[in-house]
Every structure is written in structure tokens, then in C-alpha cells.
Amino acid sequence: MGNLKPFITSEDARSQAEFYLQSLGGEIASISTHGDLMGAQNEFKDKVMHMCVLVAGGNAIFMADAIEPFTPGTGISLALELPTETEASEAFAKLAVGGNVKYPIGLQPFGLFFGELTDKFGIHWMITAAPKW
């Protein structure tokens, strides 16, 4: 069984997270930039690549700064964390049927088994599993 979490892409993830914390209570559990996770030394180095915000009694919302143009309000994705690479690969393959793969699933430089796609209904998915070392 996996864990499903909303993932919000934002023009300013830090400010948006602060708004949610003031509105709903909670805390920022973690925050990493493109410089932290990927070693970026360009205009994206200080942008949020991944933030976990715990709100309203511990509900997790993942967030990131947009690095590609997008329309505010459309930056919502579903992040599905599965227990094994096999389960993640199978779910990814099934969701990809009739859809569009943005990043094929595989081990990423930031240490996570990850793939990204838009399903045939236009829903954006990020499928993950922790690698087994």
C-alpha cells in the first residue's frame, strides 16, 4: 500500500507555505533547493526543489518552486510513494498508458527512485520509491 500526497508547484513556495501555516497551523518538515539536491549553480540554485509542509494536524503537502512557465492554480500534482521499486515501476507503467511520460522512472541523482507523467485524463503524477541499497 502506498501513500498519496498532494504536490503543489508554486511561483513562490516559501511564501505559499507560510500562508498555509498561518492559516492551518503546522510546520515545515523539510526544505531542499536545487543547489542542495542537484548541485545546481545557476539561476535555479536557490529555488525550492522539494518542501514538505505539515498542516492541520500533520497532513503532508509537498511543494516546489516552478522552473517552467505555468498558470497559477494548475500546479497541482499527485505524489504516490510506493514501498518497492517494483511496485512503483508497475504503477508508473499502468498510469502511463495513453498518457505522456515526462521523466521515465528510475534512480535519480538525488537518491530517489522517481518518475513523472501525465495520465490520459491530464492528471500529473510523480511516482517514487526509496531505493533498496
Side-chain angles (χ1 to χ4, degrees):
M1 189 71 74
N3 293 313
L4 185 64
K5 298 174 180 128
F7 194 109
I8 300 172
T9 302
S10 174
E11 289 183 309
D12 184 351
R14 288 178 176 96
S15 293
Q16 191 169 352
E18 188 58 37
F19 172 77
Y20 294 146
L21 294 175
Q22 290 175 4
S23 300
L24 304 170
E27 64 179 324
I28 294 175
S30 65
I31 185 169
S32 300
T33 65
H34 286 266
D36 296 335
L37 294 176
M38 301 294 285
Q41 294 301 310
N42 55 28
E43 69 272 20
F44 303 127
K45 71 177 181 167
D46 295 323
K47 287 195 171 274
V48 174
M49 185 173 179
H50 190 273
M51 180 188 318
C52 179
V53 182
L54 301 176
V55 297
N59 294 290
I61 299 173
F62 292 161
M63 300 182 75
D65 287 325
I67 59 171
E68 298 173 348
F70 84 105
T71 303
T74 62
I76 296 177
S77 302
L78 297 177
L80 179 59
E81 177 185 1
L82 292 160
T84 68
E85 293 175 16
T86 300
E87 289 174 88
S89 292
E90 289 172 0
F92 188 89
K94 290 174 183 176
L95 286 168
V97 172
N100 183 37
V101 173
K102 184 173 182 180
Y103 298 112
I105 195 157
L107 185 60
Q108 301 300 320
F110 45 86
L112 189 64
F113 195 73
F114 173 88
E116 198 170 332
L117 64 92
T118 301
D119 69 22
K120 66 181 180 180
F121 299 103
I123 301 299
H124 185 246
W125 291 87
M126 294 177 289
I127 307 297
T128 65
K132 302 297 182 213
W133 303 107

